[in-house]
Amino acid sequence: MNWKKNDVITLTIDDISEDGSGIGKTEGYTWFVKDTVIGDGIEARVMKMKKNYGFARLHRVLEPSAFRVEPRCPAAKACGGCQLQAMAYEEQLRFKERKVYHHLKRLGGVEELSPEPIIGMEHPWRYRNKAQFPFGRDKDGRIIYGFYAGRTHAIIQQEDCLLGVEENREILEIIRGYMEDFHIPPYDESSHTGLVRHVLIRKGFATGELMVCLIMNGTALPHADVLVKRLRSLQGMTSISFNVNMDRTNVILGEQVVKLYGKGYITDTIGDIRYQISPQSFYQVNPVQTEKLYETALEYAGLTGEETVWDLYCGIGTISLFLARRAKKVYGVEIIPAAIEDARENARLNGILNVEFYVGRAEEVLPEQYHKNKVYADVIVVDPPRKGCDKACLDTIVEMGPERVVYVSCDSATLARDVKYLRERGYKVRRVRTVDLFGQCVHVETVCLLSNRKPKPDAHVKLSRSMDDYYRIKEEGKNNQ
Ligand code: SAH
């Protein structure tokens, strides 16, 4: 390591880390540089060095990558929420595909398949159906709203997040106007005074219904009738409420919700399933792509109407309900009791009777049900949080030996680890597809089909090209351009 702090280094960025930093090398030593794009030739200033890698700050771009674009959002750098805004969307998709492929190959040891092309977004902007804006004051005392800068709690004013819906801005302006008119103070974190902490907005993309919920350091909202009247002038306004959170905490929502207008929830649909969404409910933030993700999972599950399916880590039962119409019976397992209440309510709302939900840990409920009650599964679907599945859960899956395991993953590194575990125990990867739910951001979802049987001749498995061929052809295509 021949470098010290503030040295200027020259390097080419050839990869992106999980948190969106560009990665490049000098003499075999790895550097992480924020605000860069794969293919950029840059100069960077050394900030910090560890044994095997270091951090540097972008000094100037010597040769911009062919994939570099001007970030659309003026606050992209300060906010940091969209790590990939400087990268053309097509290239974001390639980056995500490549990341999943490398994880499956290097960490999962998978050689046996050709990946299906990533399902990208038609419109990679304004796709989020939910937004939470903190309120505060600027240095002149004016009421502002926006986002927290980087990892701090300083609010940077930003009227319009380009991932959120157009209506956000109008709603927030109405609320700011109302607060100014009636001298309603925003919350001040350091002194724990003031009233309005955050504003939560949700929109049902399929129904056009809008929900507004003010999160308050108090139990009453003065002149609420005026606010309600002003907000109701917006088309689609369906639910207005406030949530009480008087704790000194970073957690946004408190327990209690007070309705000001409407029933306290909005409805939305994914596919032909209806959902009731309250301010506290978990609901996928990108419903358009979520439907494509679930359709992929449904296709991989290969249901004919005769199957018994277990949906582990089921949340509010979204995948369970999606599968239930094509299965004999679906069992869902989820650790959060309130999510299971929502799941049961959603099943009722849709008249779906062949589902049953358990509250508990997947790694406890599944072994218990298997050993005590001898439950059976043709298909097991898992959709775990980022840390992946617990070993006890995977062991029970292997013991139960369902013909198909459909693994829905939000972290391809832990997916690959778990796939390796299952492969060593007789399962093979049959199909893989990534779905982009988070344009401009580094995250990506993956659906992976594993099976312990030989694929039938009529199965939709395309083994004609290996993963390596697939990427070699892509790379060659790129180089010939
Ligand atoms: N399948 C759902 C939710 C997936 S998110 C959907 O598509 O909407 C992952 C879920 O796993 C969360 O709801 C989380 O609460 C739950 N979870 C986390 N650890 C768990 C465990 N050990 N057992 C069961 N559920 C768990």
Side-chain angles (χ1 to χ4, degrees):
M1 291 192 292
N2 307 315
W3 306 277
K4 55 184 187 318
K5 196 171 171 182
N6 284 327
D7 278 356
V8 173
I9 51 173
T10 306
L11 69 165
T12 303
I13 300 299
D14 50 27
D15 203 357
I16 300 277
S17 71
E18 305 286 317
D19 70 353
S21 291
I23 303 176
K25 286 194 165 134
T26 50
E27 295 165 39
Y29 182 83
T30 302
W31 296 99
F32 292 89
V33 191
K34 282 211 163 130
D35 308 312
T36 58
V37 176
I38 294 177
D40 276 345
I42 60 158
E43 269 181 1
R45 222 175 254 286
V46 173
M47 286 157 57
K48 200 160 82 180
M49 292 175 70
K50 305 228 175 185
K51 192 159 159 249
N52 298 318
Y53 60 91
F55 299 92
R57 182 175 298 132
L58 178 64
H59 180 56
R60 73 189 161 119
V61 178
L62 299 173
E63 208 167 311
S65 160
F67 309 118
R68 182 172 265 284
V69 293
E70 191 55 41
R72 280 201 203 180
C73 172
K77 207 166 163 182
C79 167
C82 292
Q83 308 88 345
L84 303 182
Q85 264 206 35
M87 193 189 284
Y89 184 62
E90 278 304 310
E91 185 57 14
Q92 293 180 23
L93 294 178
R94 285 172 52 85
F95 157 68
K96 291 178 183 189
E97 254 186 327
R98 229 167 22 229
K99 179 169 90 167
V100 173
Y101 158 65
H102 280 136
H103 280 159
L104 281 173
K105 194 173 169 201
R106 301 231 173 95
L107 308 174
V110 180
E111 299 283 356
E112 66 254 28
L113 82 162
S114 62
E116 293 159 50
I118 186 167
I119 304 181
M121 298 170 53
E122 217 170 303
H123 306 290
W125 301 97
R126 301 210 180 277
Y127 58 81
R128 284 185 61 99
N129 59 10
K130 174 185 166 182
Q132 297 172 128
F133 294 87
F135 269 66
R137 290 190 194 276
D138 67 8
K139 58 181 185 343
D140 303 319
R142 277 192 294 260
I143 296 174
I144 56 166
Y145 53 82
F147 57 87
Y148 292 127
R151 289 181 184 149
T152 74
H153 267 207
I155 297 171
I156 293 194
Q157 181 162 5
Q158 165 67 348
E159 269 91 19
D160 191 18
C161 167
L162 298 179
L163 301 191
V165 296
E166 305 262 9
E167 291 90 337
N168 287 343
R169 188 181 179 145
E170 236 173 314
I171 291 170
L172 293 163
E173 277 307 306
I174 289 176
I175 294 172
R176 173 162 49 194
Y178 149 82
M179 287 169 71
E180 275 164 0
D181 291 351
F182 296 102
H183 305 289
I184 300 201
Y187 181 62
D188 176 354
E189 205 174 64
S190 53
S191 62
H192 192 51
T193 56
L195 197 58
V196 179
R197 300 173 76 128
H198 276 85
V199 170
L200 163 70
I201 303 170
R202 282 181 134 161
K203 182 177 180 185
F205 276 25
T207 57
E209 294 183 3
L210 286 168
M211 164 189 289
V212 177
C213 180
L214 286 78
I215 293 103
M216 307 215 308
N217 178 39
T219 53
L221 186 64
H223 308 283
D225 51 328
V226 179
L227 178 64
V228 167
K229 188 159 172 250
R230 291 183 188 176
L231 285 173
R232 280 188 61 193
S233 68
L234 295 179
Q235 200 187 353
M237 189 57 63
T238 304
S239 163
I240 304 168
S241 60
F242 67 82
N243 171 280
V244 180
N245 182 358
M246 296 174 67
D247 295 340
R248 274 182 186 265
T249 169
N250 287 341
V251 177
I252 295 180
L253 286 172
E255 297 270 312
Q256 190 195 352
V257 176
V258 179
K259 283 180 253 178
L260 296 172
Y261 169 72
K263 288 204 179 78
Y265 59 81
I266 56 170
T267 38
D268 195 26
T269 60
I270 297 183
D272 54 2
I273 309 286
R274 273 177 71 211
Y275 298 93
Q276 278 182 4
I277 309 152
S278 67
Q280 289 121 318
S281 302
F282 171 84
Y283 187 63
Q284 295 282 358
V285 296
N286 180 344
V288 173
Q289 291 299 98
T290 296
E291 182 172 346
K292 296 178 187 162
L293 179 73
Y294 292 168
E295 264 165 12
T296 307
L298 179 66
E299 188 187 334
Y300 284 12
L303 302 178
T304 64
E306 293 303 314
E307 292 80 6
T308 301
V309 183
W310 281 77
D311 176 22
L312 308 178
Y313 312 89
C314 71
I316 58 166
T318 8
I319 295 178
S320 319
L321 300 181
F322 217 76
L323 301 182
R325 296 237 166 105
R326 309 270 197 89
K328 189 164 90 190
K329 179 87 191 203
V330 180
Y331 298 94
V333 183
E334 160 64 41
I335 197 168
I336 295 176
I340 289 291
E341 276 170 39
D342 280 349
R344 290 182 180 136
E345 180 58 35
N346 287 327
R348 257 195 304 276
L349 187 69
N350 290 281
I352 295 175
L353 303 171
N354 59 335
V355 289
E356 205 173 304
F357 293 103
Y358 293 89
V359 178
R361 291 175 195 278
E363 60 274 23
E364 289 170 9
V365 173
L366 192 66
E368 194 181 293
Q369 289 300 317
Y370 180 58
H371 293 128
K372 267 200 205 146
N373 300 334
K374 298 278 167 279
V375 294
Y376 170 82
D378 296 291
V379 181
I380 295 185
V381 179
V382 298
D383 184 9
R386 302 197 68 186
K387 68 175 184 198
C389 293
D390 191 279
K391 270 222 173 72
C393 178
L394 295 176
D395 285 337
T396 312
I397 292 176
V398 172
E399 258 187 276
M400 290 172 75
E403 183 177 336
R404 283 163 184 254
V405 175
V406 179
Y407 197 131
V408 182
S409 161
C410 54
D411 184 331
S412 51
T414 57
L415 165 71
R417 180 201 66 201
D418 292 348
V419 158
K420 180 163 186 268
Y421 196 82
L422 292 171
R423 285 178 81 250
E424 287 163 357
R425 286 156 184 78
Y427 279 88
K428 275 205 155 42
V429 174
R430 302 294 180 200
R431 300 181 73 180
V432 175
R433 190 149 203 186
T434 39
V435 184
D436 189 26
L437 270 68
F438 309 104
Q440 321 307 331
C441 308
V442 283
H443 301 294
V444 67
E445 297 274 333
T446 304
V447 189
C448 181
L449 168 65
L450 296 113
S451 125
N452 60 1
R453 304 275 153 79
K454 286 216 163 60
K456 295 182 197 126
D458 63 340
H460 316 259
V461 182
K462 304 178 204 106
L463 294 169
S464 54
R465 279 186 294 166
S466 72
M467 283 173 98
D468 277 330
D469 287 344
Y470 180 77
Y471 277 95
R472 190 171 42 73
I473 292 163
K474 276 197 152 186
E475 290 302 320
E476 279 170 4
K478 190 176 91 190
N479 295 337
N480 293 341
Q481 272 168 15

